[in-house]
Amino acid sequence: MKPMFRSLLVRNYRLWAGCSMISNIGSWMQRTAQDWLVLTELTHHDAAAVGITMSLQFGPQVLLLGLTGYVADHFDRRKVLFCTQGLMGLLALGLGLLTLSGAAQLWHVYGFALALGCTAAFDTPARQTFVSDLVGEQDIGNAVALNSTSFNMARMVGPALAGMIISAAGTGWAFILNAASFVAVLVALRRLDLSQLHIQKERVAKRSGSLIAGLRYVWQREDLRALMLTIFLISAFGLNFPIFISTMTVTAFHGDASGYGLLTTMMAVGSVCGALMAAGRDRPRLRWIYAGAIAFGAGCAVAALMPTYWLFGAALVLLGVAAQTITVSTNSLVQLSTEPAMRGRVIAILMAVLMGSTPVGAPFVGWIANEFGPRWALGVAALAGFGGALVGWRLWKRQRRTTMNAPVSS
């Protein structure tokens, strides 16, 4: 087995990962503060409003799909990230100043969420595929898993830190600190050794119809179609944890911002474990993704039945492991099995499915939480996990039938 942290031996990746960790902590602080601001300060525990905010933030991943993958494949990803990361820092600063002034209203948050979503739509495929520029083909899977580990380690720190900041100084300061954290990423991008980047020498031909080519490529691959459907089901109806955790905190356990942050951190502990497990594997496998889908469905069902705060938190740890097994393995497998010339567009499609399906599911899940309670919303997430596993089982059956019917060469 190859070393779990082998990508960190590469200076460029080590610099990028370290500075990204700082920014990731700030981003999780903002996510937590934004959900708490909408749920408790701008509305009276309206989970549907949280769902709408999530929809506006993640919807542009789908609406701008025709441009985002094209940009990731045709333009210097480092320069793209300079622009997107800087703009996201300015948006965080604007929302922070507005909140601190006491003038923030719900429609303001909606507007900032939409602007952030449009910027992130270009940032995400460029950032995901930038990994291959930093480490090369042989270590893509490991670097993707370590990226996710960093992201979820920040998820352990950011929400808890946000809870303390909200309680001590107010929601606005969490946004201000997130704005400051983007400086770390800009410094990393500036200090990379450009001579050591693994940039594809032959640029993809700049022609119209690039999105159509990416969609056609995915459609012709049965394994990619199944992965996209699985990710859609789980992302749309299962990965709505800001809704699940916030509503369980305030309605089922009568907690405050600190309690919400701690539950988010507990889930992040499982997410880090799941990402590290993925980093330790030589290559991602389809079976891990669909085993993760079964575990995710079972975990959501168990979490819905937990009677106390701490038992619910324990269930979230297991859910974190399952969710990361699915998302990290899918990201790695898609990048490794896709032609380099198509990678940006295919990853843009994957990110559009992963994040852009939120506008489909989040308002519905928020409505379920409002009308029937958050435990029923978790039941919907459980069905989504089992549905994703069913997609994998059908793919396995078709592949097995094809193998059995294949002619034997003499």
Side-chain angles (χ1 to χ4, degrees), residues 123-144:
D123 181 83
T124 301
R127 181 162 36 84
Q128 294 290 335
T129 51
F130 190 54
V131 168
S132 62
D133 295 345
L134 294 172
V135 300
E137 296 286 325
Q138 71 280 3
D139 288 326
I140 287 178
N142 179 255
V144 168

Side-chain angles (χ1 to χ4, degrees), residues 69-403:
Y70 181 89
V71 169
D73 271 337
H74 293 83
F75 291 86
D76 187 325
R77 292 163 186 160
R78 176 174 164 270
K79 294 180 179 179
V80 171
L81 292 172
F82 256 121
C83 296
T84 56
Q85 293 285 309
L87 183 53
M88 286 193 288
L90 291 175
L91 288 170
L93 178 62
L95 182 57
L97 293 175
L98 191 65
T99 304
L100 288 175
S101 70
Q105 299 180 35
L106 185 59
W107 70 270
H108 292 145
V109 179
Y110 287 166
F112 274 96
L114 179 61
L116 182 63
C118 291
T119 308
F122 288 93
D123 181 83
T124 301
R127 181 162 36 84
Q128 294 290 335
T129 51
F130 190 54
V131 168
S132 62
D133 295 345
L134 294 172
V135 300
E137 296 286 325
Q138 71 280 3
D139 288 326
I140 287 178
N142 179 255
V144 168
L146 291 182
N147 275 0
S148 184
T149 301
S150 170
F151 182 77
N152 285 288
M153 287 179 68
R155 192 178 184 179
M156 294 169 59
V157 178
L161 188 57
M164 291 187 291
I165 291 171
I166 293 170
S167 298
T171 309
W173 283 106
F175 301 133
I176 297 295
L177 290 175
N178 178 43
S181 74
F182 281 99
V183 175
V185 178
L186 298 177
V187 169
L189 290 169
R190 183 69 179 83
R191 295 185 59 192
L192 291 176
D193 185 347
L194 303 186
S195 67
Q196 297 299 315
L197 292 178
H198 301 263
I199 298 176
Q200 185 182 340
K201 293 182 179 180
E202 295 182 2
R203 285 289 182 183
V204 184
K206 293 188 177 182
R207 63 184 185 275
S208 61
S210 288
L211 173 60
I212 300 301
L215 291 171
R216 185 183 299 115
Y217 182 86
V218 171
W219 185 255
Q220 291 172 349
R221 293 269 305 272
E222 185 181 34
D223 56 336
L224 292 182
R225 292 202 312 270
L227 283 173
M228 296 295 178
L229 179 56
T230 297
I231 287 297
F232 171 79
L233 289 172
I234 292 175
S235 178
F237 304 105
L239 299 182
N240 295 296
F241 289 105
I243 296 175
F244 301 142
I245 298 176
S246 62
T247 53
M248 285 291 286
T249 299
V250 298
T251 62
F253 307 123
H254 309 292
D256 57 11
S258 297
Y260 171 46
L262 181 58
L263 282 177
T264 305
T265 298
M266 293 174 74
M267 182 174 179
V269 171
S271 298
V272 169
C273 293
L276 286 174
M277 289 165 61
R281 301 185 188 112
D282 289 340
R283 289 183 64 87
R285 306 290 182 187
L286 274 172
R287 62 175 178 268
W288 288 110
I289 297 171
Y290 293 112
I294 295 173
F296 183 84
C300 287
V302 169
L305 299 174
M306 290 296 97
T308 68
Y309 177 93
W310 292 108
L311 287 175
F312 179 71
L316 290 179
V317 174
L318 299 178
L319 273 175
V321 174
Q324 284 305 297
T325 297
I326 298 167
T327 56
V328 173
S329 298
T330 299
N331 190 324
S332 301
L333 187 61
V334 168
Q335 292 211 45
L336 286 169
S337 64
T338 300
E339 298 172 13
M342 299 295 297
R343 187 170 290 153
R345 280 163 289 179
V346 174
I347 287 296
I349 294 169
L350 175 63
M351 292 298 109
V353 173
L354 181 63
M355 299 182 182
S357 56
T358 298
V360 176
F364 173 72
V365 171
W367 177 78
I368 293 291
N370 278 343
E371 296 296 321
F372 304 101
R375 298 184 188 276
W376 285 101
L378 279 164
V380 172
L383 292 176
F386 292 134
L390 179 61
V391 172
W393 178 72
R394 289 173 61 87
L395 173 64
W396 175 78
K397 282 192 65 177
R398 285 195 296 269
Q399 289 181 336
R400 188 167 179 264
R401 188 182 303 117
T402 300
T403 301

Side-chain angles (χ1 to χ4, degrees), residues 28-46:
W28 274 110
M29 288 172 56
Q30 169 141 343
R31 289 189 183 192
T32 305
Q34 179 177 277
D35 296 334
W36 195 256
L37 177 67
V38 171
L39 188 70
T40 66
E41 298 181 29
L42 301 180
T43 70
H44 183 64
H45 300 169
D46 189 348

